[in-house]
Amino acid sequence: MLTTMNELLVAARKEKRAVGAFNVGNYETLLAVFRGAESAGLPVIVQFYERVVNNGHGEPLVAAARALAERSAVPVAIHLDHGSTLEVVARAIAAGCTSVMIDGSRLSFDENVAITLEAVKLARAAGVTIEAEIGHVAQGDEGRDANLQESVKFFEATGVDALAVAVGTAHGFYAEEPKIDLTLASQLADAIPVPLVLHGGSGTPQDKVRALIASGFAKINVATEFQYDYQLKLKARLNEVQKFFAVDLLEAPVVDSSAEFIAQQLKFFAGVK
C-alpha cells in the first residue's frame, strides 16, 4: 500500500512508537525491506541516498519500490534521504518518491531556512511530504547538536512535516558509545509538534532509542547496520557456494535472511514482540 510519510509518522508519534526507515541501494536490498515489513505486519519507509537518484539508478529503483508498495499489504512510504539541492529534490519527486528530505544542515541558519522553504514549495505542489534537518548529524565530520530555540524558530519558519534534530547520534558505526542528550531530545519534542527523526540509528544503544521514541521521535533511520548485515550474509553465501549459481538464486537466501533483520528492527521500533 503506497502512502506518504505523514500518514505513517503522525499516528506513530501520538502512539509513542516509531517507523523504521531503511536505505536501499539495489533491488535485493529493496526486496529485503519489503519482505521484512510484510513479515512483521508493520509499515515501513524505503529510503534512497541522493547518489542513487543522481547516478541514474533512482528512477528504475523508485519504480520498482512503487510497484512492490502497490501490491503490499502494509503501508510503505518512498523517501529521498539527505537531498542537498533543490534539483535532486525535484528529481526524486519526479521519479515517484512520496516524501523527500532537504538537508541544509551544513549551511548557516538563514541559508537552511531559505533552501528548506523552496523545497517545501516543491513538495506541497506535488502532494508529497517533506523532512528537513536542524543541527548537524555527523558523517565523517563534526556534528553539532540542535539548539532548542533555533530549532523551534526553524520549524515555525518552514512548516516541514518532519524534523531531523541532532541530539548526539552520528551516521555510520560508532568508534565509541555516543552521548545522546535525552534532556534536549525531550525539550525538542515538547516544543515541536511534528514527528521528530533520528538519523544515525545504526548502533545507537537500544535503551536510548526507546527513550527517544517515547519522547516523540517517530522515524528511525537505519542504513549502515542494515547494509552491513546484508554484506556479511552475502559474503557468507559466496563462501558457501563453490559453483555457478544464477545471481537471483544466489542472493535469494540472503534477501530472506536480511528480511528477518528488518522485521526485528521494525518490531522493536513499534514496541511489539
Side-chain angles (χ1 to χ4, degrees), residues 24-26 48-61 88 91:
V24 303
N26 60 6
F48 292 94
Y49 294 112
E50 179 180 78
R51 68 170 180 270
V52 175
V53 175
N54 282 335
N55 67 13
H57 296 171
E59 287 186 4
L61 277 175
V88 76
R91 196 173 299 129

Side-chain angles (χ1 to χ4, degrees), residues 37-49:
E38 288 166 352
S39 172
L42 291 167
V44 72
I45 298 169
V46 174
Q47 298 195 148
F48 292 94
Y49 294 112

Side-chain angles (χ1 to χ4, degrees), residues 76-215:
V76 181
I78 303 171
H79 182 67
L80 166 69
D81 191 27
H82 289 290
S84 63
T85 67
L86 295 174
E87 290 75 18
V88 76
V89 167
R91 196 173 299 129
I93 291 171
C97 286
T98 63
S99 73
V100 290
M101 179 188 183
I102 183 69
D103 182 2
S105 64
R106 288 185 173 88
L107 305 175
S108 70
F109 178 83
D110 289 341
E111 289 171 326
N112 193 1
V113 168
I115 194 172
T116 300
L117 280 171
E118 292 303 311
V120 167
K121 291 177 186 177
L122 292 174
R124 297 282 184 263
V128 305
T129 52
I130 184 161
E131 173 189 339
E133 183 171 324
I134 191 70
H136 176 61
V137 181
Q139 184 171 12
D141 56 4
E142 290 296 321
R144 183 181 72 258
D145 279 3
N147 172 276
L148 178 59
Q149 290 73 30
E150 188 177 80
S151 299
V152 173
K153 184 179 176 183
F154 179 86
F155 168 70
E156 291 175 344
T158 60
V160 291
D161 299 304
L163 187 59
V165 288
V167 292
T169 58
H171 295 100
F173 286 127
Y174 296 106
E176 56 187 34
E177 185 169 318
K179 296 179 175 63
I180 311 298
D181 193 335
L182 295 178
T183 299
L184 173 62
S186 181
Q187 291 171 340
L188 288 163
D190 287 343
I192 298 170
V194 297
L196 300 182
V197 181
L198 182 70
H199 283 249
S202 295
T204 300
Q206 289 193 335
D207 61 327
K208 300 297 193 299
V209 174
R210 177 58 55 212
L212 291 168
I213 293 172
S215 73

Side-chain angles (χ1 to χ4, degrees), residues 212-250:
L212 291 168
I213 293 172
S215 73
F217 283 71
K219 176 174 179 268
I220 311 295
N221 284 17
V222 180
T224 304
E225 192 173 4
F226 165 49
Q227 295 194 13
Y228 190 55
D229 175 82
Y230 191 93
Q231 177 185 332
L232 291 179
K233 287 169 178 172
L234 178 57
K235 181 179 179 181
R237 174 69 169 156
L238 288 168
N239 288 337
E240 170 194 345
V241 174
Q242 299 297 320
K243 61 180 181 179
F244 168 77
F245 261 79
V247 290
D248 58 322
L249 299 177
L250 175 72

